[in-house]
Amino acid sequence: MAIDRRTLLHLSLAGGVAGALGLKSAAAAAQQGGGEGVKWIFLGTKGGPRIGTGRSNPANVLLVDGVPFVIDCGYGVARRLVEAKVALPSLRYVFVTHMHSDHVLEFGNMVYGAWSAGLNHPIDAFGPVGLDGLAKAFWQSMKDDIEIRMPDEGKPDPRKFLVVKEITESGPVMATDKVKVTALRTPHPPILERNYAYKFETPKGVIVYVCDSAYNPEIAKFAEGADLLIHEALYVPGVDALAARIKNASTLKEHLLASHTTTEDLGKLAAAAKVKKLVMTHLVPGDIDTITDEMWMQDVRKHYNGSLVVARDLMEVSL
Ligand SMILES: [Zn+2]
Ligand SMILES: [Zn+2]
């Protein structure tokens, strides 16, 4: 079989040829809208809304027996889903952590892309207050196109398919027969209320996703014993270089330091939570190639000795 970049990444995670063979069958199944098991695919691993040629902006998809749960919708999410062989018309659930643009910029476009490719069932979207307004504004922006295409192409009205449910507090969010989702409000200054971490309890194990958040010791309890903690990370020595490049944001450095979790604090969280595996994502800065994986991990390692991975776009982790 051809060994592509995704396969190589999976090989390194699964640690052998058997893992690669497992990927092949799972990817083929997912392409057809099926597939069994629980798999998380990182679609975009760079924090922030800037667009570049390397890592894409924040987005992920969790596949539970082939049913997609998209988590965050940064710029490029639809193309990355296609590259991950997740059929857009198969989208079913969407979760948004907060209303920063790097997490919602392509929310509407992704749903539109699913409709364009054949969507014919509801998509339930969960997120903070503000998400419903974003959806309505998106549909308004595309009103002419939609109302031309519906009669001309015999298509259903996409606006009736997107069902937004806004979250207003920590606690249970939704459940299917296989997945239970719980939210935890976590501070991401200046956003204090409308920002959530999510816990996905699946038949194969528990995944906790924290993105974005300032250092929050409550996360350790929320993620206690999780099979997989996916958490944002801030590499402090890279902040000055990042801030210096953005010429129109005079207080960007202060924002980054106040609103994100440093690699050292992340190590403390993962150790306190005793998670089985930690994957670092939403990397800030995520577009400086001289920051190696080892540099991302070194301060985490001061506190956490468990399984540790720095995420890459299209990397897959199976439970
Ligand atoms: Zn972000
Ligand atoms: Zn944010």
Side-chain angles (χ1 to χ4, degrees):
M1 70 181 182
I3 302 286
D4 61 14
R5 185 162 170 269
R6 288 174 65 217
T7 308
L8 286 171
L9 286 165
H10 188 84
L11 263 173
S12 66
L13 283 170
V17 173
L21 293 173
L23 172 73
K24 186 184 177 188
S25 59
Q31 195 164 18
Q32 294 156 19
E36 291 192 359
V38 175
K39 179 166 65 178
W40 185 286
I41 306 176
F42 293 84
L43 302 173
T45 57
K46 177 180 71 174
R50 290 173 309 286
I51 299 166
T53 56
R55 297 175 184 275
S56 192
N57 305 103
N60 310 264
V61 63
L62 168 65
L63 293 166
V64 179
D65 291 342
V67 177
F69 295 65
V70 174
I71 302 111
D72 281 333
C73 303
Y75 192 80
V77 60
R79 179 172 289 274
R80 280 286 195 245
L81 281 164
V82 171
E83 290 171 345
K85 299 185 171 24
V86 176
L88 292 179
S90 75
L91 297 187
R92 183 64 187 85
Y93 303 104
V94 179
F95 292 83
V96 165
T97 53
H98 63 300
M99 297 302 292
H100 263 151
S101 57
D102 50 327
H103 299 252
V104 296
L105 204 53
E106 208 173 287
F107 172 70
N109 287 356
M110 179 186 71
V111 177
Y112 183 95
W115 176 68
S116 179
L119 178 74
N120 210 8
H121 62 250
I123 293 178
D124 293 314
F126 304 87
V129 172
L131 189 61
D132 192 49
L134 181 72
K136 287 187 168 76
F138 175 77
W139 293 133
Q140 182 60 33
S141 77
M142 296 308 298
K143 185 172 185 291
D144 283 355
D145 173 273
I146 290 165
E147 294 182 357
I148 290 168
R149 288 186 190 277
M150 284 196 310
D152 188 40
E153 301 178 14
K155 293 173 79 78
D157 189 336
R159 294 165 290 201
K160 73 180 183 188
F161 286 146
L162 180 60
V163 182
V164 176
K165 295 167 185 170
E166 293 183 337
I167 301 167
T168 56
E169 59 186 358
S170 299
V173 175
M174 61 87 78
T176 70
D177 58 339
K178 294 180 179 171
V179 182
K180 180 181 161 198
V181 186
T182 308
L184 177 73
R185 181 180 284 158
T186 188
H188 177 42
I191 305 170
L192 300 178
E193 303 284 321
R194 297 183 296 148
N195 186 63
Y196 294 94
Y198 291 112
K199 182 184 328 190
F200 299 86
E201 295 174 67
T202 79
K204 300 280 189 182
V206 175
I207 301 170
V208 173
Y209 175 77
V210 185
C211 192
D212 304 347
S213 178
Y215 174 50
N216 177 7
E218 283 185 40
I219 295 294
K221 192 160 188 296
F222 187 62
E224 190 172 8
D227 297 275
L228 177 60
L229 172 61
I230 297 161
H231 201 295
E232 67 138 272
L234 177 72
Y235 183 69
V236 174
V239 169
D240 281 329
L242 173 64
R245 277 188 303 165
I246 314 299
K247 304 298 184 192
N248 65 350
S250 60
T251 57
L252 178 61
K253 178 179 178 181
E254 290 74 14
H255 159 74
L256 293 173
L257 293 172
S259 63
H260 294 286
T261 301
T262 67
T263 50
E264 175 147 14
D265 284 338
L266 177 53
K268 293 177 190 168
L269 279 179
K274 297 184 173 64
V275 297
K276 296 184 180 71
K277 181 190 281 286
L278 169 63
V279 180
M280 306 165 72
T281 191
H282 194 285
L283 304 175
V284 177
D287 53 1
I288 297 179
D289 291 341
T290 52
I291 305 175
T292 64
D293 284 4
E294 189 51 45
M295 292 159 75
W296 278 108
M297 292 190 287
Q298 63 189 7
D299 283 352
V300 179
R301 281 289 184 221
K302 289 179 182 173
H303 305 279
Y304 173 70
N305 294 319
S307 177
L308 177 60
V309 178
V310 179
R312 301 224 173 266
D313 288 20
L314 298 177
M315 187 179 90
E316 303 178 5
V317 177
S318 297
L319 293 187

